[in-house]
Short mmCIF file of all heavy atoms in Angstrom, two decimals:
data_model
loop_
_atom_site.label_atom_id
_atom_site.label_comp_id
_atom_site.label_asym_id
_atom_site.label_seq_id
_atom_site.Cartn_x
_atom_site.Cartn_y
_atom_site.Cartn_z
N ILE A 236 138.31 45.36 146.72
CA ILE A 236 138.09 46.56 145.89
C ILE A 236 139.31 47.48 145.80
O ILE A 236 139.58 47.96 144.70
CB ILE A 236 136.86 47.35 146.40
CG1 ILE A 236 135.59 46.46 146.42
CG2 ILE A 236 136.63 48.58 145.57
CD1 ILE A 236 135.21 45.92 145.08
N ALA A 237 140.01 47.68 146.89
CA ALA A 237 141.19 48.47 146.82
C ALA A 237 142.24 47.91 145.91
O ALA A 237 142.89 48.61 145.13
CB ALA A 237 141.80 48.69 148.21
N ALA A 238 142.42 46.58 145.88
CA ALA A 238 143.38 45.93 145.02
C ALA A 238 142.92 46.05 143.54
O ALA A 238 143.74 46.19 142.68
CB ALA A 238 143.55 44.47 145.41
N LEU A 239 141.59 46.01 143.35
CA LEU A 239 141.05 46.12 141.98
C LEU A 239 141.43 47.49 141.46
O LEU A 239 141.70 47.62 140.23
CB LEU A 239 139.54 45.93 142.05
CG LEU A 239 138.73 46.07 140.79
CD1 LEU A 239 137.55 45.12 140.84
CD2 LEU A 239 138.24 47.50 140.65
N VAL A 240 141.37 48.54 142.24
CA VAL A 240 141.66 49.93 141.81
C VAL A 240 143.13 50.19 141.77
O VAL A 240 143.70 50.79 140.84
CB VAL A 240 140.93 50.90 142.72
CG1 VAL A 240 141.33 52.36 142.31
CG2 VAL A 240 139.44 50.76 142.63
N GLY A 241 143.86 49.78 142.84
CA GLY A 241 145.26 50.14 142.99
C GLY A 241 146.26 49.15 142.67
O GLY A 241 147.46 49.36 142.74
N GLY A 242 145.82 47.90 142.37
CA GLY A 242 146.78 46.78 142.09
C GLY A 242 146.98 45.97 143.32
O GLY A 242 146.39 46.17 144.37
N PRO A 243 147.82 44.92 143.20
CA PRO A 243 148.07 43.95 144.27
C PRO A 243 148.31 44.65 145.62
O PRO A 243 149.03 45.65 145.70
CB PRO A 243 149.29 43.16 143.83
CG PRO A 243 149.21 43.23 142.31
CD PRO A 243 148.68 44.62 142.01
N ALA A 244 147.67 44.09 146.65
CA ALA A 244 147.69 44.77 147.99
C ALA A 244 148.64 44.08 148.96
O ALA A 244 148.86 42.86 148.83
CB ALA A 244 146.26 44.74 148.64
N PRO A 245 149.24 44.84 149.85
CA PRO A 245 150.18 44.29 150.83
C PRO A 245 149.52 43.65 152.04
O PRO A 245 149.90 43.82 153.15
CB PRO A 245 151.02 45.50 151.23
CG PRO A 245 150.02 46.62 151.17
CD PRO A 245 149.10 46.32 150.02
N VAL A 246 148.46 42.83 151.76
CA VAL A 246 147.72 42.19 152.80
C VAL A 246 147.44 40.73 152.44
O VAL A 246 147.60 40.35 151.28
CB VAL A 246 146.34 42.88 153.09
CG1 VAL A 246 146.58 44.33 153.52
CG2 VAL A 246 145.47 42.83 151.84
N SER A 247 147.06 39.94 153.46
CA SER A 247 146.55 38.60 153.21
C SER A 247 145.16 38.51 153.72
O SER A 247 144.78 39.31 154.63
CB SER A 247 147.46 37.57 153.89
OG SER A 247 148.80 37.59 153.35
N VAL A 248 144.36 37.57 153.30
CA VAL A 248 142.97 37.40 153.69
C VAL A 248 142.81 35.99 154.22
O VAL A 248 143.00 35.00 153.50
CB VAL A 248 142.05 37.73 152.52
CG1 VAL A 248 140.57 37.48 152.97
CG2 VAL A 248 142.24 39.10 152.02
N GLN A 249 142.37 35.88 155.48
CA GLN A 249 142.28 34.61 156.16
C GLN A 249 140.82 34.32 156.57
O GLN A 249 140.16 35.22 157.10
CB GLN A 249 143.15 34.61 157.38
CG GLN A 249 143.14 33.36 158.22
CD GLN A 249 143.96 33.48 159.50
OE1 GLN A 249 144.28 34.62 159.92
NE2 GLN A 249 144.34 32.42 160.12
N ILE A 250 140.36 33.11 156.30
CA ILE A 250 138.99 32.70 156.69
C ILE A 250 139.05 32.27 158.15
O ILE A 250 139.68 31.20 158.44
CB ILE A 250 138.48 31.55 155.79
CG1 ILE A 250 138.67 31.93 154.31
CG2 ILE A 250 137.03 31.27 156.06
CD1 ILE A 250 137.94 33.17 153.87
N LEU A 251 138.40 32.94 159.03
CA LEU A 251 138.39 32.63 160.44
C LEU A 251 137.34 31.55 160.78
O LEU A 251 137.59 30.70 161.62
CB LEU A 251 138.15 33.87 161.30
CG LEU A 251 139.24 34.94 161.33
CD1 LEU A 251 138.89 36.00 162.30
CD2 LEU A 251 140.59 34.33 161.66
N THR A 252 136.15 31.69 160.23
CA THR A 252 135.13 30.66 160.38
C THR A 252 134.69 30.19 159.00
O THR A 252 134.88 30.89 158.02
CB THR A 252 133.92 31.24 161.14
OG1 THR A 252 133.28 32.24 160.32
CG2 THR A 252 134.29 31.87 162.42
N ASP A 253 134.06 28.99 158.94
CA ASP A 253 133.58 28.57 157.62
C ASP A 253 132.81 29.71 156.95
O ASP A 253 131.94 30.38 157.57
CB ASP A 253 132.67 27.34 157.80
CG ASP A 253 133.42 26.13 158.24
OD1 ASP A 253 134.65 26.14 158.24
OD2 ASP A 253 132.75 25.15 158.60
N ALA A 254 133.09 29.95 155.69
CA ALA A 254 132.53 31.13 155.03
C ALA A 254 132.04 30.80 153.63
O ALA A 254 132.53 29.84 152.98
CB ALA A 254 133.56 32.24 154.92
N ALA A 255 131.11 31.57 153.18
CA ALA A 255 130.58 31.48 151.77
C ALA A 255 130.78 32.84 151.17
O ALA A 255 130.47 33.86 151.74
CB ALA A 255 129.10 31.06 151.79
N LEU A 256 131.31 32.85 149.92
CA LEU A 256 131.51 34.08 149.20
C LEU A 256 131.06 33.97 147.77
O LEU A 256 130.93 32.83 147.26
CB LEU A 256 133.04 34.41 149.14
CG LEU A 256 133.74 34.83 150.44
CD1 LEU A 256 134.30 33.64 151.16
CD2 LEU A 256 134.80 35.88 150.17
N LEU A 257 130.77 35.09 147.19
CA LEU A 257 130.44 35.18 145.80
C LEU A 257 131.61 35.91 145.12
O LEU A 257 131.78 37.14 145.34
CB LEU A 257 129.11 35.91 145.57
CG LEU A 257 128.50 35.84 144.16
CD1 LEU A 257 128.09 34.42 143.85
CD2 LEU A 257 127.30 36.80 144.05
N MET A 258 132.44 35.17 144.37
CA MET A 258 133.64 35.76 143.77
C MET A 258 133.25 36.52 142.50
O MET A 258 132.66 35.88 141.53
CB MET A 258 134.70 34.70 143.49
CG MET A 258 135.09 33.92 144.73
SD MET A 258 135.61 34.96 146.14
CE MET A 258 137.04 35.77 145.38
N LEU A 259 133.50 37.81 142.48
CA LEU A 259 133.04 38.65 141.35
C LEU A 259 134.10 38.69 140.28
O LEU A 259 135.28 38.50 140.54
CB LEU A 259 132.75 40.07 141.89
CG LEU A 259 131.73 40.09 143.04
CD1 LEU A 259 131.64 41.53 143.59
CD2 LEU A 259 130.37 39.62 142.60
N ASN A 260 133.70 39.03 139.03
CA ASN A 260 134.59 39.08 137.93
C ASN A 260 135.35 40.41 137.95
O ASN A 260 134.78 41.48 137.86
CB ASN A 260 133.83 38.98 136.59
CG ASN A 260 134.72 38.90 135.43
OD1 ASN A 260 135.42 39.83 135.08
ND2 ASN A 260 134.69 37.74 134.76
N VAL A 261 136.71 40.31 138.14
CA VAL A 261 137.53 41.49 138.31
C VAL A 261 137.49 42.38 137.08
O VAL A 261 137.35 43.61 137.21
CB VAL A 261 138.97 41.08 138.65
CG1 VAL A 261 139.93 42.30 138.57
CG2 VAL A 261 139.04 40.43 140.00
N ARG A 262 137.59 41.77 135.93
CA ARG A 262 137.58 42.60 134.69
C ARG A 262 136.27 43.32 134.48
O ARG A 262 136.25 44.47 134.02
CB ARG A 262 137.87 41.69 133.49
CG ARG A 262 139.32 41.16 133.46
CD ARG A 262 139.62 40.37 132.18
NE ARG A 262 140.96 39.88 132.15
CZ ARG A 262 141.48 39.13 131.22
NH1 ARG A 262 140.72 38.77 130.16
NH2 ARG A 262 142.73 38.72 131.23
N THR A 263 135.14 42.68 134.81
CA THR A 263 133.86 43.31 134.71
C THR A 263 133.80 44.54 135.62
O THR A 263 133.31 45.63 135.26
CB THR A 263 132.71 42.36 135.08
OG1 THR A 263 132.72 41.27 134.09
CG2 THR A 263 131.38 43.01 135.02
N LEU A 264 134.23 44.38 136.87
CA LEU A 264 134.22 45.47 137.79
C LEU A 264 135.13 46.63 137.38
O LEU A 264 134.76 47.81 137.41
CB LEU A 264 134.65 44.99 139.19
CG LEU A 264 133.63 44.16 139.93
CD1 LEU A 264 134.35 43.55 141.21
CD2 LEU A 264 132.47 45.04 140.39
N GLN A 265 136.31 46.30 136.86
CA GLN A 265 137.27 47.33 136.41
C GLN A 265 136.70 48.09 135.21
O GLN A 265 136.76 49.29 135.18
CB GLN A 265 138.59 46.70 136.09
CG GLN A 265 139.38 46.23 137.27
CD GLN A 265 140.66 45.53 136.94
OE1 GLN A 265 140.69 44.80 135.92
NE2 GLN A 265 141.68 45.67 137.79
N SER A 266 136.16 47.35 134.28
CA SER A 266 135.56 47.97 133.06
C SER A 266 134.41 48.86 133.42
O SER A 266 134.30 49.99 132.95
CB SER A 266 135.16 46.89 132.07
OG SER A 266 134.55 47.48 130.95
N SER A 267 133.49 48.36 134.25
CA SER A 267 132.31 49.11 134.66
C SER A 267 132.70 50.35 135.48
O SER A 267 132.07 51.40 135.33
CB SER A 267 131.33 48.25 135.48
OG SER A 267 130.82 47.17 134.65
N GLY A 268 133.77 50.22 136.26
CA GLY A 268 134.22 51.30 137.05
C GLY A 268 134.74 52.48 136.23
O GLY A 268 134.68 53.65 136.61
N GLN A 269 135.21 52.15 135.00
CA GLN A 269 135.73 53.17 134.13
C GLN A 269 134.69 53.77 133.17
O GLN A 269 134.89 54.84 132.60
CB GLN A 269 136.92 52.59 133.33
CG GLN A 269 138.09 52.21 134.20
CD GLN A 269 139.18 51.47 133.41
OE1 GLN A 269 139.10 51.44 132.18
NE2 GLN A 269 140.10 50.85 134.12
N THR A 270 133.64 52.99 132.95
CA THR A 270 132.60 53.43 131.94
C THR A 270 131.28 53.81 132.57
O THR A 270 130.47 54.49 131.92
CB THR A 270 132.39 52.30 130.93
OG1 THR A 270 131.94 51.12 131.60
CG2 THR A 270 133.68 52.00 130.19
N GLU A 271 131.00 53.30 133.80
CA GLU A 271 129.69 53.58 134.40
C GLU A 271 129.98 54.50 135.64
O GLU A 271 130.59 54.09 136.62
CB GLU A 271 129.05 52.34 134.88
CG GLU A 271 128.56 51.39 133.78
CD GLU A 271 127.32 51.89 133.10
OE1 GLU A 271 126.71 52.87 133.64
OE2 GLU A 271 126.92 51.30 132.09
N PRO A 272 129.59 55.79 135.60
CA PRO A 272 129.88 56.69 136.69
C PRO A 272 129.40 56.21 138.04
O PRO A 272 130.08 56.40 139.04
CB PRO A 272 129.09 57.96 136.26
CG PRO A 272 129.06 57.90 134.74
CD PRO A 272 128.89 56.45 134.46
N ARG A 273 128.24 55.58 138.10
CA ARG A 273 127.69 55.09 139.40
C ARG A 273 128.62 54.00 139.95
O ARG A 273 128.77 53.93 141.18
CB ARG A 273 126.27 54.61 139.25
CG ARG A 273 125.30 55.80 138.82
CD ARG A 273 123.85 55.42 138.98
NE ARG A 273 123.48 55.25 140.40
CZ ARG A 273 122.24 55.17 140.84
NH1 ARG A 273 121.25 55.33 139.97
NH2 ARG A 273 121.96 55.01 142.09
N VAL A 274 129.14 53.12 139.11
CA VAL A 274 130.02 52.07 139.60
C VAL A 274 131.31 52.66 140.03
O VAL A 274 131.91 52.31 141.06
CB VAL A 274 130.22 51.00 138.51
CG1 VAL A 274 131.24 49.98 138.99
CG2 VAL A 274 128.91 50.32 138.11
N GLY A 275 131.84 53.61 139.26
CA GLY A 275 133.09 54.28 139.59
C GLY A 275 132.98 54.96 140.98
O GLY A 275 133.91 54.94 141.79
N TRP A 276 131.86 55.64 141.18
CA TRP A 276 131.63 56.34 142.49
C TRP A 276 131.49 55.33 143.62
O TRP A 276 132.05 55.50 144.69
CB TRP A 276 130.42 57.20 142.38
CG TRP A 276 130.13 57.96 143.68
CD1 TRP A 276 129.06 57.83 144.50
CD2 TRP A 276 130.93 59.02 144.21
NE1 TRP A 276 129.15 58.73 145.50
CE2 TRP A 276 130.28 59.46 145.38
CE3 TRP A 276 132.14 59.59 143.82
CZ2 TRP A 276 130.80 60.48 146.19
CZ3 TRP A 276 132.68 60.64 144.60
CH2 TRP A 276 131.98 61.05 145.82
N LEU A 277 130.84 54.15 143.33
CA LEU A 277 130.73 53.16 144.38
C LEU A 277 132.10 52.60 144.75
O LEU A 277 132.38 52.38 145.96
CB LEU A 277 129.87 51.99 143.81
CG LEU A 277 129.63 50.81 144.77
CD1 LEU A 277 128.23 50.25 144.54
CD2 LEU A 277 130.65 49.69 144.52
#
């Protein structure tokens, strides 16, 4: 989320144990954050 708001982050993300994720659409989140107050606040 921080990278979505502020741009590429100076971190790496490592999977320590087998993991399952739901990869969200970045553009949808960015657009909703700018047009939907509740998403922006979240």
Side-chain angles (χ1 to χ4, degrees):
I236 299 301
L239 178 147
V240 175
V246 300
S247 296
V248 179
Q249 179 184 19
I250 309 300
L251 292 185
T252 65
D253 291 351
L256 290 91
L257 191 66
M258 303 307 298
L259 305 173
N260 187 294
V261 170
R262 291 184 179 179
T263 297
L264 285 170
Q265 289 175 327
S266 176
S267 297
Q269 295 172 12
T270 59
E271 294 283 352
R273 296 193 67 165
V274 176
W276 182 245
L277 180 147

